[in-house]
Amino acid sequence: MLNTIYRLVEPMRFEAQFTDIDIKGDDVIVRPTHLSICNADRRYYQGKRPPEVLQKKLPMALIHEGIGKVVFDKKGEFLPGQRVVMVPNNPVEEDEVISENYLRSSSFRSSGTDGFMQDNVAMKRDRIVPLHKGMNKKVASFTELAAVSYHTINRFGEIAHKRRKTIGVWGDGNLAFITSLFLKKRMPESRIIIFGKNDWKMVNFPFADGTYNITAIPKDLFVDHAFECVGREASGAAVNQIIDHINPEGTIAIMGVSEVFVPINTRMMLEKGLRMVGSSRCGKKDFCDTLEFYRNNPEVVEYMQSIVGSVVRVKTMTDINKAFEEDIKAPGGKTVMIWEK
Amino acid sequence: MIFAAVLAGGIGKRMGNVDKPKQFLMIGKKPIIVHTVEQFCIHDKFEKIIVLCPKQWMPYTKDLLDKYLGRTDRVCVIEGGDIRNQTIMNAIDWIESNYGLKEDTVLVTHDAVRPFVTSRIIEDNILAAKKYGACDTVVPATDTIVQSDDEKCIANIPERSKFWHGQTPQSFMAVKFKELYESLTEEEKDILTDAAKVFVMKGEKVRMVEGENFNIKVTYPYDLQLAETLLEGDK
């Protein structure tokens, strides 16, 4: 079946291109319904990736956060109309030690392969997760981002030492919001402190046990562990501030993506015997666990609705650009495209 | 109930030296008609996808669809008529004989040689046909339209913003189409080029559904080349 794919061919320019989907194959055909724009998509759209990366990866359909409705499953395992979350990570091998999301052989939607901006998406059947009834669709559209937080907290749980009285989260954006909300819910005994740049954004973190502006952190304030959710140019400053304000042998979970190399105060890191763990992608199990977490904690979903920003109905190519432009202009929140293209 | 009628009545006169109707020519790895029928097969809303083609091409069409789609009871091949609207009437007669015709029976008709139709267009057609009774898929005219009465001089250049190119699908309530078509005189039937006009001639409103510029009709050899080029991006 000929399938229309809306690929970014150069910064800010999308074009309809076509592929042939084998409907007799094993894949499940999913029609996207709600797609969420991630910072990575925005960087491609704005041409903020290095020229050699753009040269290599474009044309490519963007978006790796999204849900859809099953349209066709030859095997009948999934029913037409069934709502599913699409998993962007696509492993091609199994490894008894390394997780699927960290295998270098795995491909990733809207990074090495086409993302979800398509008329229909041919999904491997183990790459879709049914969505439970009543789940908020806009929130579900960015399950991938939430699952990264969920996954990182899991890894943190395995690595970090047991004293977890105070945990700091650096950042005041979407990722910091989700991570700190999940931390508070999953580790209620810990004090969750937010370290952000914008006081007006941190007002929206009422579940946190405290918020501090990064320009006014008391010198004697120390956390046992920390999550870095800043990324980009400020990534280095955030990591180094964490190093200053973390207790010895603490664990720092790095989650923010930076296009530039980050100089780190390794002297102090060595002196304090810190651990650092990086996570930016998650596996299918994390999607399942996150959805289960949502099902068991509806109040978390309520909170998550507060970071839904612009909602743009997409019926034309112009609407796609409009959604990205809205996302660029927005001071925060997740931009969700209601996909009717 | 909702039915799709894939109209494969063409005999390929305009395709130059090809020896088969154009719907059987290949785009990529499959014949055009297979690509088109597949677009409808994935939609569970369709009770049946009825493929209508000239009698002499029926066995070939059946074998071709079996070969590429596997044996499926969702698709059936029946004989088309001499003209487009008679072909549609054959589809309606077939529905009436096999399922009975009800007030809310929707028929989505589509050219077999428009394989680039999207799920969105099909879904919009179903919604519009249900809500408004009849709809036609269109895109805004990009070329200036020139009117001539003697084929020599321009009589008029109408305002372009009021003109659209008609594509398919064209979708409607089957009962209504039958009623209107049967009320037409033979002269009126002769000047009809498509289904939407049946409604328009009889003063019925036809809702416009937004098409896509790439929802091309493979009519000329040039179109086939264009279709192949569109698929080149398959990586």
Side-chain angles (χ1 to χ4, degrees), chain A residues 1-2 4 6-7 16 18-21 23-24 31 57 59 71-72 80 119-120 315-316 340-341, chain B residues 30 35 38-39 42 44 67-69 115-116 118-120 123-124 210 212 214 230-231 233-235:
Chain A
M1 180 189 72
L2 294 174
T4 314
Y6 301 94
R7 288 186 175 132
F18 303 87
T19 56
D20 190 359
I21 291 180
I23 62 169
K24 279 168 73 182
R31 168 108 172 108
K57 300 205 174 184
V71 175
F72 183 77
D119 192 34
N120 290 292
K315 279 191 91 83
T316 64
E340 294 177 358
K341 181 73 187 120
Chain B
K30 293 176 202 160
H35 286 300
E38 282 181 332
Q39 299 282 9
I42 64 162
D44 70 312
K67 179 181 170 186
Y68 285 95
L69 301 177
F116 291 97
T118 65
S119 287
R120 195 271 304 160
E123 283 164 14
D124 283 356
E210 192 176 342
E212 295 283 1
F214 56 76
L230 288 173
L231 243 191
D234 195 357
K235 60 178 183 180

